Short mmCIF file of all heavy atoms in Angstrom, two decimals:
data_model
loop_
_atom_site.label_atom_id
_atom_site.label_comp_id
_atom_site.label_asym_id
_atom_site.label_seq_id
_atom_site.Cartn_x
_atom_site.Cartn_y
_atom_site.Cartn_z
N LEU A 1 -85.97 25.77 -7.12
CA LEU A 1 -86.48 24.75 -8.00
C LEU A 1 -87.47 25.35 -8.97
O LEU A 1 -88.38 26.06 -8.55
CB LEU A 1 -87.08 23.63 -7.15
CG LEU A 1 -87.44 22.33 -7.83
CD1 LEU A 1 -86.24 21.74 -8.54
CD2 LEU A 1 -87.98 21.37 -6.81
N PHE A 2 -87.34 25.10 -10.21
CA PHE A 2 -88.15 25.70 -11.27
C PHE A 2 -89.15 24.66 -11.75
O PHE A 2 -88.80 23.66 -12.34
CB PHE A 2 -87.23 26.15 -12.38
CG PHE A 2 -87.94 26.82 -13.51
CD1 PHE A 2 -88.59 28.00 -13.30
CD2 PHE A 2 -87.91 26.26 -14.77
CE1 PHE A 2 -89.23 28.62 -14.35
CE2 PHE A 2 -88.55 26.87 -15.82
CZ PHE A 2 -89.24 28.05 -15.57
N LEU A 3 -90.46 24.90 -11.49
CA LEU A 3 -91.49 23.93 -11.84
C LEU A 3 -92.63 24.55 -12.59
O LEU A 3 -93.76 24.65 -12.08
CB LEU A 3 -92.01 23.28 -10.54
CG LEU A 3 -91.00 22.51 -9.74
CD1 LEU A 3 -91.59 22.10 -8.39
CD2 LEU A 3 -90.55 21.27 -10.48
N PRO A 4 -92.42 24.99 -13.83
CA PRO A 4 -93.53 25.62 -14.55
C PRO A 4 -94.66 24.66 -14.82
O PRO A 4 -95.84 25.05 -14.78
CB PRO A 4 -92.91 26.12 -15.85
CG PRO A 4 -91.69 25.30 -16.02
CD PRO A 4 -91.22 24.97 -14.60
N HIS A 5 -94.37 23.41 -15.05
CA HIS A 5 -95.45 22.43 -15.33
C HIS A 5 -96.39 22.30 -14.12
O HIS A 5 -97.58 22.25 -14.24
CB HIS A 5 -94.85 21.06 -15.70
CG HIS A 5 -95.89 20.02 -15.89
ND1 HIS A 5 -96.78 20.03 -16.94
CD2 HIS A 5 -96.21 18.92 -15.15
CE1 HIS A 5 -97.60 19.01 -16.84
NE2 HIS A 5 -97.29 18.32 -15.78
N SER A 6 -95.81 22.28 -12.92
CA SER A 6 -96.61 22.18 -11.72
C SER A 6 -97.54 23.39 -11.57
O SER A 6 -98.70 23.27 -11.21
CB SER A 6 -95.72 22.07 -10.48
OG SER A 6 -96.48 22.00 -9.33
N ALA A 7 -97.03 24.58 -11.85
CA ALA A 7 -97.86 25.78 -11.75
C ALA A 7 -99.02 25.68 -12.76
O ALA A 7 -100.17 26.03 -12.43
CB ALA A 7 -97.01 27.03 -12.03
N LEU A 8 -98.77 25.27 -13.98
CA LEU A 8 -99.81 25.15 -14.98
C LEU A 8 -100.81 24.07 -14.58
O LEU A 8 -102.01 24.21 -14.82
CB LEU A 8 -99.18 24.86 -16.34
CG LEU A 8 -98.31 25.96 -16.91
CD1 LEU A 8 -97.58 25.50 -18.18
CD2 LEU A 8 -99.10 27.22 -17.16
N THR A 9 -100.34 22.98 -14.02
CA THR A 9 -101.23 21.89 -13.58
C THR A 9 -102.20 22.41 -12.51
O THR A 9 -103.34 21.96 -12.42
CB THR A 9 -100.41 20.72 -13.01
OG1 THR A 9 -99.54 20.26 -14.05
CG2 THR A 9 -101.29 19.60 -12.54
N HIS A 10 -101.76 23.36 -11.69
CA HIS A 10 -102.60 23.88 -10.61
C HIS A 10 -103.37 25.12 -11.01
O HIS A 10 -103.82 25.88 -10.17
CB HIS A 10 -101.73 24.14 -9.36
CG HIS A 10 -101.35 22.89 -8.65
ND1 HIS A 10 -100.23 22.16 -8.99
CD2 HIS A 10 -101.93 22.21 -7.68
CE1 HIS A 10 -100.18 21.11 -8.23
NE2 HIS A 10 -101.18 21.09 -7.43
N GLY A 11 -103.52 25.35 -12.30
CA GLY A 11 -104.42 26.39 -12.76
C GLY A 11 -103.80 27.72 -13.16
O GLY A 11 -104.50 28.65 -13.50
N ALA A 12 -102.50 27.84 -13.08
CA ALA A 12 -101.88 29.12 -13.51
C ALA A 12 -102.06 29.27 -15.01
O ALA A 12 -101.97 28.33 -15.75
CB ALA A 12 -100.39 29.10 -13.15
N ASP A 13 -102.39 30.48 -15.43
CA ASP A 13 -102.53 30.71 -16.84
C ASP A 13 -101.48 31.72 -17.35
O ASP A 13 -101.49 32.15 -18.49
CB ASP A 13 -103.91 31.21 -17.20
CG ASP A 13 -104.37 32.39 -16.39
OD1 ASP A 13 -103.68 32.77 -15.46
OD2 ASP A 13 -105.45 32.94 -16.70
N LEU A 14 -100.56 32.06 -16.45
CA LEU A 14 -99.47 32.98 -16.81
C LEU A 14 -98.22 32.60 -16.02
O LEU A 14 -98.32 32.31 -14.82
CB LEU A 14 -99.87 34.42 -16.49
CG LEU A 14 -98.79 35.48 -16.69
CD1 LEU A 14 -98.52 35.67 -18.19
CD2 LEU A 14 -99.22 36.80 -16.10
N LEU A 15 -97.11 32.60 -16.68
CA LEU A 15 -95.84 32.33 -16.01
C LEU A 15 -94.86 33.40 -16.41
O LEU A 15 -94.54 33.55 -17.61
CB LEU A 15 -95.34 30.95 -16.41
CG LEU A 15 -94.05 30.47 -15.77
CD1 LEU A 15 -94.23 30.32 -14.26
CD2 LEU A 15 -93.63 29.14 -16.40
N GLU A 16 -94.43 34.20 -15.47
CA GLU A 16 -93.50 35.30 -15.76
C GLU A 16 -92.10 34.93 -15.29
O GLU A 16 -91.92 34.44 -14.20
CB GLU A 16 -93.93 36.57 -15.02
CG GLU A 16 -93.01 37.73 -15.22
CD GLU A 16 -93.38 38.96 -14.44
OE1 GLU A 16 -94.52 39.03 -13.93
OE2 GLU A 16 -92.54 39.87 -14.33
N LEU A 17 -91.16 35.14 -16.17
CA LEU A 17 -89.76 34.80 -15.85
C LEU A 17 -88.89 36.03 -16.07
O LEU A 17 -89.07 36.73 -17.04
CB LEU A 17 -89.25 33.68 -16.77
CG LEU A 17 -90.01 32.38 -16.75
CD1 LEU A 17 -89.47 31.43 -17.80
CD2 LEU A 17 -89.94 31.75 -15.37
N ASP A 18 -87.98 36.29 -15.17
CA ASP A 18 -87.00 37.36 -15.34
C ASP A 18 -85.77 36.71 -15.99
O ASP A 18 -85.17 35.78 -15.44
CB ASP A 18 -86.61 37.97 -13.99
CG ASP A 18 -87.78 38.68 -13.36
OD1 ASP A 18 -88.55 39.33 -14.08
OD2 ASP A 18 -87.91 38.62 -12.13
N CYS A 19 -85.39 37.23 -17.12
CA CYS A 19 -84.24 36.69 -17.88
C CYS A 19 -83.15 37.73 -17.96
O CYS A 19 -83.39 38.92 -18.10
CB CYS A 19 -84.67 36.24 -19.28
SG CYS A 19 -85.92 34.95 -19.26
N ARG A 20 -81.92 37.25 -17.93
CA ARG A 20 -80.74 38.09 -18.05
C ARG A 20 -79.81 37.47 -19.08
O ARG A 20 -79.85 36.27 -19.32
CB ARG A 20 -80.00 38.16 -16.69
CG ARG A 20 -80.84 38.46 -15.48
CD ARG A 20 -81.29 39.88 -15.48
NE ARG A 20 -82.17 40.08 -14.33
CZ ARG A 20 -82.55 41.26 -13.93
NH1 ARG A 20 -82.12 42.35 -14.53
NH2 ARG A 20 -83.34 41.37 -12.88
N ARG A 21 -78.99 38.33 -19.69
CA ARG A 21 -78.01 37.85 -20.68
C ARG A 21 -76.62 37.96 -20.09
O ARG A 21 -76.24 39.01 -19.53
CB ARG A 21 -78.11 38.68 -21.95
CG ARG A 21 -77.29 38.10 -23.10
CD ARG A 21 -77.43 38.95 -24.34
NE ARG A 21 -78.77 39.16 -24.75
CZ ARG A 21 -79.41 38.42 -25.65
NH1 ARG A 21 -78.82 37.38 -26.21
NH2 ARG A 21 -80.69 38.70 -25.98
N THR A 22 -75.84 36.88 -20.20
CA THR A 22 -74.48 36.90 -19.69
C THR A 22 -73.57 37.59 -20.71
O THR A 22 -73.99 37.90 -21.85
CB THR A 22 -73.96 35.46 -19.46
OG1 THR A 22 -73.97 34.77 -20.71
CG2 THR A 22 -74.81 34.72 -18.42
N LEU A 23 -72.32 37.84 -20.34
CA LEU A 23 -71.37 38.51 -21.20
C LEU A 23 -71.22 37.82 -22.54
O LEU A 23 -71.07 38.47 -23.58
CB LEU A 23 -70.02 38.59 -20.49
CG LEU A 23 -68.91 39.33 -21.23
CD1 LEU A 23 -69.26 40.80 -21.42
CD2 LEU A 23 -67.60 39.23 -20.46
N ASP A 24 -71.29 36.47 -22.56
CA ASP A 24 -71.15 35.74 -23.82
C ASP A 24 -72.49 35.48 -24.51
O ASP A 24 -72.58 34.65 -25.41
CB ASP A 24 -70.38 34.46 -23.58
CG ASP A 24 -70.87 33.61 -22.40
OD1 ASP A 24 -71.73 34.08 -21.68
OD2 ASP A 24 -70.35 32.49 -22.22
N GLY A 25 -73.56 36.18 -24.08
CA GLY A 25 -74.82 36.14 -24.79
C GLY A 25 -75.76 35.03 -24.41
O GLY A 25 -76.81 34.88 -25.04
N VAL A 26 -75.48 34.26 -23.39
CA VAL A 26 -76.38 33.19 -22.94
C VAL A 26 -77.46 33.80 -22.08
O VAL A 26 -77.20 34.60 -21.20
CB VAL A 26 -75.61 32.13 -22.14
CG1 VAL A 26 -76.54 31.06 -21.59
CG2 VAL A 26 -74.51 31.49 -23.00
N VAL A 27 -78.73 33.46 -22.38
CA VAL A 27 -79.85 33.94 -21.60
C VAL A 27 -80.08 33.00 -20.44
O VAL A 27 -80.19 31.77 -20.63
CB VAL A 27 -81.12 34.02 -22.46
CG1 VAL A 27 -82.32 34.46 -21.63
CG2 VAL A 27 -80.89 35.00 -23.62
N VAL A 28 -80.12 33.57 -19.23
CA VAL A 28 -80.36 32.77 -18.02
C VAL A 28 -81.59 33.32 -17.30
O VAL A 28 -81.90 34.49 -17.40
CB VAL A 28 -79.13 32.78 -17.06
CG1 VAL A 28 -77.95 32.10 -17.72
CG2 VAL A 28 -78.75 34.17 -16.66
N VAL A 29 -82.28 32.46 -16.58
CA VAL A 29 -83.43 32.86 -15.77
C VAL A 29 -82.91 33.26 -14.41
O VAL A 29 -82.35 32.46 -13.69
CB VAL A 29 -84.48 31.75 -15.68
CG1 VAL A 29 -85.61 32.16 -14.77
CG2 VAL A 29 -84.97 31.33 -17.01
N SER A 30 -83.11 34.55 -14.08
CA SER A 30 -82.66 35.04 -12.79
C SER A 30 -83.41 36.31 -12.46
O SER A 30 -83.42 37.27 -13.25
CB SER A 30 -81.13 35.35 -12.82
OG SER A 30 -80.72 35.85 -11.55
N HIS A 31 -84.03 36.38 -11.30
CA HIS A 31 -84.73 37.57 -10.87
C HIS A 31 -83.75 38.71 -10.64
O HIS A 31 -84.03 39.85 -11.02
CB HIS A 31 -85.53 37.30 -9.59
CG HIS A 31 -86.15 38.52 -9.00
ND1 HIS A 31 -87.24 39.14 -9.58
CD2 HIS A 31 -85.84 39.27 -7.92
CE1 HIS A 31 -87.55 40.21 -8.89
NE2 HIS A 31 -86.71 40.30 -7.87
N ASP A 32 -82.63 38.41 -10.05
CA ASP A 32 -81.64 39.44 -9.72
C ASP A 32 -80.66 39.58 -10.87
O ASP A 32 -80.35 38.62 -11.56
CB ASP A 32 -80.86 39.07 -8.46
CG ASP A 32 -81.79 38.97 -7.23
OD1 ASP A 32 -82.70 39.79 -7.13
OD2 ASP A 32 -81.56 38.06 -6.43
N GLY A 33 -80.09 40.79 -11.02
CA GLY A 33 -79.08 41.02 -12.02
C GLY A 33 -77.72 40.50 -11.63
O GLY A 33 -76.79 40.45 -12.44
N GLY A 34 -77.56 40.13 -10.38
CA GLY A 34 -76.29 39.64 -9.86
C GLY A 34 -76.51 38.40 -9.02
O GLY A 34 -77.62 37.93 -8.86
N LEU A 35 -75.42 37.91 -8.50
CA LEU A 35 -75.45 36.67 -7.72
C LEU A 35 -75.23 36.82 -6.22
O LEU A 35 -74.99 35.87 -5.51
CB LEU A 35 -74.41 35.68 -8.27
CG LEU A 35 -74.59 35.26 -9.73
CD1 LEU A 35 -73.46 34.35 -10.17
CD2 LEU A 35 -75.92 34.60 -9.92
N LEU A 36 -75.34 38.06 -5.74
CA LEU A 36 -75.09 38.34 -4.33
C LEU A 36 -76.01 37.52 -3.41
O LEU A 36 -75.58 36.86 -2.49
CB LEU A 36 -75.20 39.83 -4.02
CG LEU A 36 -74.95 40.19 -2.54
CD1 LEU A 36 -73.50 39.88 -2.18
CD2 LEU A 36 -75.23 41.68 -2.35
N ARG A 37 -77.26 37.52 -3.69
CA ARG A 37 -78.23 36.83 -2.83
C ARG A 37 -78.05 35.31 -2.89
O ARG A 37 -78.20 34.61 -1.89
CB ARG A 37 -79.65 37.21 -3.26
CG ARG A 37 -80.71 36.79 -2.26
CD ARG A 37 -82.01 37.51 -2.47
NE ARG A 37 -82.47 37.53 -3.83
CZ ARG A 37 -83.56 36.91 -4.28
NH1 ARG A 37 -84.31 36.25 -3.46
NH2 ARG A 37 -83.91 36.98 -5.54
N GLN A 38 -77.72 34.78 -4.07
CA GLN A 38 -77.56 33.34 -4.23
C GLN A 38 -76.21 32.80 -3.74
O GLN A 38 -76.13 31.72 -3.23
CB GLN A 38 -77.75 32.93 -5.69
CG GLN A 38 -79.12 33.12 -6.23
CD GLN A 38 -79.29 34.49 -6.86
OE1 GLN A 38 -78.50 35.39 -6.65
NE2 GLN A 38 -80.39 34.67 -7.58
N SER A 39 -75.14 33.61 -3.95
CA SER A 39 -73.84 33.08 -3.67
C SER A 39 -73.09 33.85 -2.58
O SER A 39 -72.04 33.41 -2.13
CB SER A 39 -72.97 33.10 -4.93
OG SER A 39 -72.67 34.42 -5.29
N GLY A 40 -73.59 35.04 -2.19
CA GLY A 40 -72.87 35.86 -1.23
C GLY A 40 -71.74 36.62 -1.87
O GLY A 40 -70.96 37.29 -1.16
N ARG A 41 -71.60 36.54 -3.19
CA ARG A 41 -70.55 37.26 -3.89
C ARG A 41 -71.18 38.31 -4.82
O ARG A 41 -72.14 37.99 -5.55
CB ARG A 41 -69.74 36.27 -4.72
CG ARG A 41 -69.04 35.26 -3.78
CD ARG A 41 -68.41 34.11 -4.56
NE ARG A 41 -67.41 34.57 -5.47
CZ ARG A 41 -66.90 33.82 -6.44
NH1 ARG A 41 -67.24 32.54 -6.52
NH2 ARG A 41 -65.94 34.27 -7.22
N PRO A 42 -70.68 39.54 -4.83
CA PRO A 42 -71.28 40.61 -5.65
C PRO A 42 -70.89 40.51 -7.11
O PRO A 42 -70.10 41.28 -7.64
CB PRO A 42 -70.73 41.90 -5.01
CG PRO A 42 -69.41 41.47 -4.46
CD PRO A 42 -69.57 40.03 -4.03
N LEU A 43 -71.44 39.51 -7.82
CA LEU A 43 -71.10 39.28 -9.21
C LEU A 43 -72.27 39.68 -10.12
O LEU A 43 -73.39 39.26 -9.91
CB LEU A 43 -70.79 37.80 -9.39
CG LEU A 43 -69.65 37.25 -8.54
CD1 LEU A 43 -69.58 35.73 -8.63
CD2 LEU A 43 -68.32 37.87 -8.98
N ASP A 44 -71.96 40.49 -11.12
CA ASP A 44 -72.96 40.96 -12.08
C ASP A 44 -73.06 39.96 -13.24
O ASP A 44 -72.06 39.67 -13.89
CB ASP A 44 -72.51 42.35 -12.59
CG ASP A 44 -73.52 43.03 -13.50
OD1 ASP A 44 -74.39 42.32 -14.10
OD2 ASP A 44 -73.43 44.23 -13.62
N LEU A 45 -74.27 39.47 -13.50
CA LEU A 45 -74.42 38.48 -14.55
C LEU A 45 -74.00 38.99 -15.92
O LEU A 45 -73.50 38.24 -16.74
CB LEU A 45 -75.88 38.01 -14.64
CG LEU A 45 -76.34 37.07 -13.51
CD1 LEU A 45 -77.84 36.87 -13.56
CD2 LEU A 45 -75.61 35.76 -13.59
N ARG A 46 -74.17 40.28 -16.16
CA ARG A 46 -73.77 40.86 -17.46
C ARG A 46 -72.27 40.82 -17.67
O ARG A 46 -71.80 40.92 -18.80
CB ARG A 46 -74.25 42.31 -17.57
CG ARG A 46 -75.76 42.48 -17.55
CD ARG A 46 -76.12 43.92 -17.44
NE ARG A 46 -75.58 44.44 -16.19
CZ ARG A 46 -75.67 45.71 -15.83
NH1 ARG A 46 -76.28 46.58 -16.56
NH2 ARG A 46 -75.15 46.10 -14.66
N ARG A 47 -71.51 40.69 -16.60
CA ARG A 47 -70.04 40.66 -16.69
C ARG A 47 -69.44 39.26 -16.54
O ARG A 47 -68.25 39.12 -16.50
CB ARG A 47 -69.46 41.59 -15.64
CG ARG A 47 -69.88 43.01 -15.79
CD ARG A 47 -69.33 43.87 -14.69
NE ARG A 47 -69.88 45.19 -14.72
CZ ARG A 47 -69.35 46.21 -15.37
NH1 ARG A 47 -68.26 46.07 -16.05
NH2 ARG A 47 -69.92 47.41 -15.33
N LEU A 48 -70.30 38.26 -16.45
CA LEU A 48 -69.85 36.87 -16.33
C LEU A 48 -70.09 36.11 -17.63
O LEU A 48 -71.12 36.31 -18.29
CB LEU A 48 -70.60 36.16 -15.19
CG LEU A 48 -70.35 36.63 -13.79
CD1 LEU A 48 -71.29 35.89 -12.86
CD2 LEU A 48 -68.91 36.44 -13.39
N ARG A 49 -69.16 35.25 -17.94
CA ARG A 49 -69.36 34.31 -19.06
C ARG A 49 -70.05 33.08 -18.47
O ARG A 49 -69.70 32.63 -17.39
CB ARG A 49 -68.04 33.92 -19.70
CG ARG A 49 -67.37 35.07 -20.38
CD ARG A 49 -66.13 34.57 -21.14
NE ARG A 49 -65.37 35.70 -21.63
CZ ARG A 49 -65.71 36.43 -22.70
NH1 ARG A 49 -66.77 36.13 -23.39
NH2 ARG A 49 -64.94 37.44 -23.08
N TYR A 50 -71.03 32.57 -19.18
CA TYR A 50 -71.80 31.42 -18.69
C TYR A 50 -70.86 30.24 -18.43
O TYR A 50 -71.02 29.57 -17.41
CB TYR A 50 -72.86 31.03 -19.70
CG TYR A 50 -73.75 29.91 -19.21
CD1 TYR A 50 -74.77 30.15 -18.30
CD2 TYR A 50 -73.52 28.59 -19.65
CE1 TYR A 50 -75.55 29.11 -17.86
CE2 TYR A 50 -74.31 27.58 -19.19
CZ TYR A 50 -75.34 27.84 -18.30
OH TYR A 50 -76.12 26.81 -17.84
N GLN A 51 -69.92 29.97 -19.28
CA GLN A 51 -69.05 28.79 -19.12
C GLN A 51 -68.12 28.90 -17.94
O GLN A 51 -67.61 27.89 -17.49
CB GLN A 51 -68.26 28.57 -20.41
CG GLN A 51 -69.10 28.15 -21.57
CD GLN A 51 -69.88 26.85 -21.33
OE1 GLN A 51 -69.37 25.94 -20.73
NE2 GLN A 51 -71.11 26.83 -21.78
N VAL A 52 -67.87 30.10 -17.42
CA VAL A 52 -66.99 30.24 -16.29
C VAL A 52 -67.71 30.80 -15.06
O VAL A 52 -67.14 31.47 -14.24
CB VAL A 52 -65.75 31.13 -16.61
CG1 VAL A 52 -64.86 30.43 -17.61
CG2 VAL A 52 -66.16 32.48 -17.10
N ARG A 53 -69.01 30.53 -15.01
CA ARG A 53 -69.79 31.01 -13.87
C ARG A 53 -69.25 30.37 -12.59
O ARG A 53 -68.78 29.25 -12.61
CB ARG A 53 -71.27 30.73 -14.06
CG ARG A 53 -71.62 29.27 -14.09
CD ARG A 53 -72.97 29.03 -14.68
NE ARG A 53 -73.28 27.64 -14.72
CZ ARG A 53 -72.83 26.78 -15.62
NH1 ARG A 53 -72.01 27.14 -16.53
NH2 ARG A 53 -73.18 25.52 -15.57
N PRO A 54 -69.34 31.11 -11.49
CA PRO A 54 -68.81 30.53 -10.24
C PRO A 54 -69.68 29.39 -9.74
O PRO A 54 -70.87 29.38 -9.93
CB PRO A 54 -68.88 31.75 -9.27
CG PRO A 54 -69.92 32.62 -9.86
CD PRO A 54 -69.88 32.41 -11.34
N THR A 55 -69.04 28.44 -9.11
CA THR A 55 -69.77 27.39 -8.47
C THR A 55 -69.86 27.68 -6.98
O THR A 55 -68.98 28.33 -6.43
CB THR A 55 -69.07 26.01 -8.67
OG1 THR A 55 -67.76 26.11 -8.15
CG2 THR A 55 -69.02 25.64 -10.13
N HIS A 56 -70.92 27.28 -6.40
CA HIS A 56 -71.09 27.53 -4.96
C HIS A 56 -72.12 26.54 -4.43
O HIS A 56 -72.88 25.95 -5.19
CB HIS A 56 -71.59 28.96 -4.74
CG HIS A 56 -72.90 29.26 -5.36
ND1 HIS A 56 -73.02 29.60 -6.71
CD2 HIS A 56 -74.16 29.22 -4.87
CE1 HIS A 56 -74.31 29.78 -6.98
NE2 HIS A 56 -75.02 29.55 -5.89
N SER A 57 -72.09 26.34 -3.13
CA SER A 57 -73.14 25.55 -2.51
C SER A 57 -73.96 26.46 -1.64
O SER A 57 -73.41 27.29 -0.93
CB SER A 57 -72.53 24.40 -1.71
OG SER A 57 -71.72 24.94 -0.67
N CYS A 58 -75.24 26.32 -1.74
CA CYS A 58 -76.14 27.19 -0.97
C CYS A 58 -76.92 26.34 0.02
O CYS A 58 -77.26 25.22 -0.26
CB CYS A 58 -77.18 27.85 -1.91
SG CYS A 58 -76.43 29.02 -3.07
N PRO A 59 -77.22 26.92 1.16
CA PRO A 59 -78.08 26.19 2.10
C PRO A 59 -79.47 26.09 1.48
O PRO A 59 -79.85 26.88 0.65
CB PRO A 59 -78.07 27.07 3.35
CG PRO A 59 -77.69 28.41 2.84
CD PRO A 59 -76.84 28.21 1.65
N PRO A 60 -80.24 25.07 1.90
CA PRO A 60 -81.60 24.95 1.38
C PRO A 60 -82.41 26.20 1.68
O PRO A 60 -82.30 26.78 2.76
CB PRO A 60 -82.16 23.73 2.12
CG PRO A 60 -81.05 23.10 2.84
CD PRO A 60 -79.91 24.07 2.87
N ARG A 61 -83.22 26.63 0.74
CA ARG A 61 -84.03 27.83 0.94
C ARG A 61 -85.46 27.37 1.27
O ARG A 61 -85.96 26.39 0.75
CB ARG A 61 -84.05 28.67 -0.33
CG ARG A 61 -82.69 29.20 -0.67
CD ARG A 61 -82.65 29.91 -1.96
NE ARG A 61 -83.44 31.12 -1.85
CZ ARG A 61 -83.60 31.97 -2.82
NH1 ARG A 61 -83.08 31.73 -4.00
NH2 ARG A 61 -84.31 33.06 -2.67
N THR A 62 -86.11 28.07 2.15
CA THR A 62 -87.48 27.77 2.46
C THR A 62 -88.35 28.40 1.41
O THR A 62 -88.09 29.50 0.91
CB THR A 62 -87.88 28.28 3.85
OG1 THR A 62 -87.63 29.67 3.88
CG2 THR A 62 -87.07 27.57 4.94
N HIS A 63 -89.41 27.72 1.03
CA HIS A 63 -90.33 28.20 0.02
C HIS A 63 -91.42 29.06 0.67
O HIS A 63 -92.03 28.59 1.65
CB HIS A 63 -90.95 27.04 -0.74
CG HIS A 63 -91.93 27.44 -1.76
ND1 HIS A 63 -91.57 28.05 -2.92
CD2 HIS A 63 -93.28 27.35 -1.78
CE1 HIS A 63 -92.65 28.32 -3.62
NE2 HIS A 63 -93.67 27.90 -2.96
N ARG A 64 -91.62 30.24 0.16
CA ARG A 64 -92.71 31.09 0.68
C ARG A 64 -93.75 31.22 -0.41
O ARG A 64 -93.46 31.68 -1.50
CB ARG A 64 -92.17 32.45 1.03
CG ARG A 64 -91.21 32.45 2.18
CD ARG A 64 -90.80 33.84 2.58
NE ARG A 64 -90.86 34.77 1.47
CZ ARG A 64 -90.03 35.79 1.28
NH1 ARG A 64 -89.07 36.00 2.13
NH2 ARG A 64 -90.15 36.58 0.25
N SER A 65 -94.96 30.85 -0.11
CA SER A 65 -96.04 30.99 -1.08
C SER A 65 -96.60 32.43 -1.00
O SER A 65 -96.72 32.98 0.08
CB SER A 65 -97.16 30.01 -0.79
OG SER A 65 -96.70 28.71 -0.93
N PRO A 66 -97.01 32.97 -2.15
CA PRO A 66 -97.61 34.28 -2.14
C PRO A 66 -99.00 34.24 -1.57
O PRO A 66 -99.61 33.12 -1.46
CB PRO A 66 -97.63 34.70 -3.59
CG PRO A 66 -97.63 33.40 -4.33
CD PRO A 66 -96.87 32.44 -3.47
N PRO A 67 -99.58 35.35 -1.15
CA PRO A 67 -100.97 35.33 -0.66
C PRO A 67 -101.92 34.78 -1.69
O PRO A 67 -101.73 35.01 -2.89
CB PRO A 67 -101.26 36.82 -0.39
CG PRO A 67 -99.95 37.49 -0.38
CD PRO A 67 -98.99 36.66 -1.17
N GLN A 68 -102.91 34.06 -1.24
CA GLN A 68 -103.87 33.45 -2.14
C GLN A 68 -105.06 34.38 -2.35
O GLN A 68 -105.69 34.80 -1.42
CB GLN A 68 -104.37 32.12 -1.60
CG GLN A 68 -103.27 31.09 -1.47
CD GLN A 68 -102.65 30.73 -2.84
OE1 GLN A 68 -103.37 30.43 -3.77
NE2 GLN A 68 -101.37 30.77 -2.93
N ALA A 69 -105.35 34.67 -3.64
CA ALA A 69 -106.49 35.49 -3.95
C ALA A 69 -107.66 34.65 -4.45
O ALA A 69 -108.80 34.99 -4.26
CB ALA A 69 -106.11 36.53 -5.03
N SER A 70 -107.33 33.52 -5.11
CA SER A 70 -108.41 32.77 -5.76
C SER A 70 -108.70 31.42 -5.09
O SER A 70 -109.64 30.76 -5.48
CB SER A 70 -108.01 32.49 -7.21
OG SER A 70 -106.88 31.67 -7.23
N GLY A 71 -107.93 31.03 -4.12
CA GLY A 71 -108.13 29.74 -3.50
C GLY A 71 -107.40 28.63 -4.24
O GLY A 71 -107.39 27.49 -3.77
N THR A 72 -106.75 28.93 -5.36
CA THR A 72 -105.98 27.92 -6.07
C THR A 72 -104.65 27.74 -5.36
O THR A 72 -103.99 28.74 -5.11
CB THR A 72 -105.74 28.37 -7.54
OG1 THR A 72 -107.00 28.62 -8.17
CG2 THR A 72 -104.96 27.32 -8.32
N PRO A 73 -104.27 26.52 -5.02
CA PRO A 73 -102.98 26.33 -4.34
C PRO A 73 -101.81 26.73 -5.19
O PRO A 73 -101.82 26.53 -6.39
CB PRO A 73 -102.98 24.83 -4.01
CG PRO A 73 -103.93 24.22 -5.00
CD PRO A 73 -104.93 25.26 -5.34
N PHE A 74 -100.83 27.31 -4.58
CA PHE A 74 -99.60 27.67 -5.26
C PHE A 74 -98.55 26.64 -4.90
O PHE A 74 -98.37 26.31 -3.74
CB PHE A 74 -99.13 29.06 -4.80
CG PHE A 74 -97.83 29.49 -5.40
CD1 PHE A 74 -97.83 30.07 -6.64
CD2 PHE A 74 -96.65 29.26 -4.74
CE1 PHE A 74 -96.63 30.45 -7.21
CE2 PHE A 74 -95.47 29.66 -5.31
CZ PHE A 74 -95.45 30.25 -6.54
N VAL A 75 -97.89 26.05 -5.88
CA VAL A 75 -96.92 25.03 -5.67
C VAL A 75 -95.56 25.54 -6.11
O VAL A 75 -95.41 26.17 -7.10
CB VAL A 75 -97.27 23.75 -6.39
CG1 VAL A 75 -96.21 22.69 -6.22
CG2 VAL A 75 -98.61 23.26 -5.94
#
């Protein structure tokens, strides 16, 4: 779940996003260059067209908060 507004509301002053470009030039937000971790399939985003991206259902992921340095809650 992508919630930049929530992070800013809780005091974040920087938001870093990893972006990738698909074969047809669409920029997507994705930490990984492929979809193995999300879909279980070894698909490279650079070789996929956005309009024909694979559909999949994923089990719910648990959210892990990073260590707190400032005492500001991470959401």
Side-chain angles (χ1 to χ4, degrees):
L1 190 56
F2 182 63
L3 298 170
H5 176 68
S6 180
L8 296 172
T9 300
H10 285 88
D13 53 352
L14 175 70
L15 182 63
E16 178 183 346
L17 302 174
D18 294 322
C19 298
R20 312 288 177 168
R21 190 181 305 267
T22 61
L23 183 63
D24 49 353
V26 176
V27 177
V28 295
V29 176
S30 178
H31 173 73
D32 298 321
L35 298 178
L36 181 63
R37 192 162 49 113
Q38 293 91 344
S39 70
R41 298 170 60 191
L43 303 169
D44 185 339
L45 286 171
R46 297 171 298 178
R47 299 177 188 269
L48 293 175
R49 294 186 189 282
Y50 183 79
Q51 293 301 321
V52 293
R53 66 198 180 281
T55 58
H56 62 277
S57 61
C58 295
R61 296 174 69 180
T62 57
H63 178 72
R64 295 185 331 215
S65 297
Q68 297 297 310
S70 65
T72 303
F74 178 84
V75 177

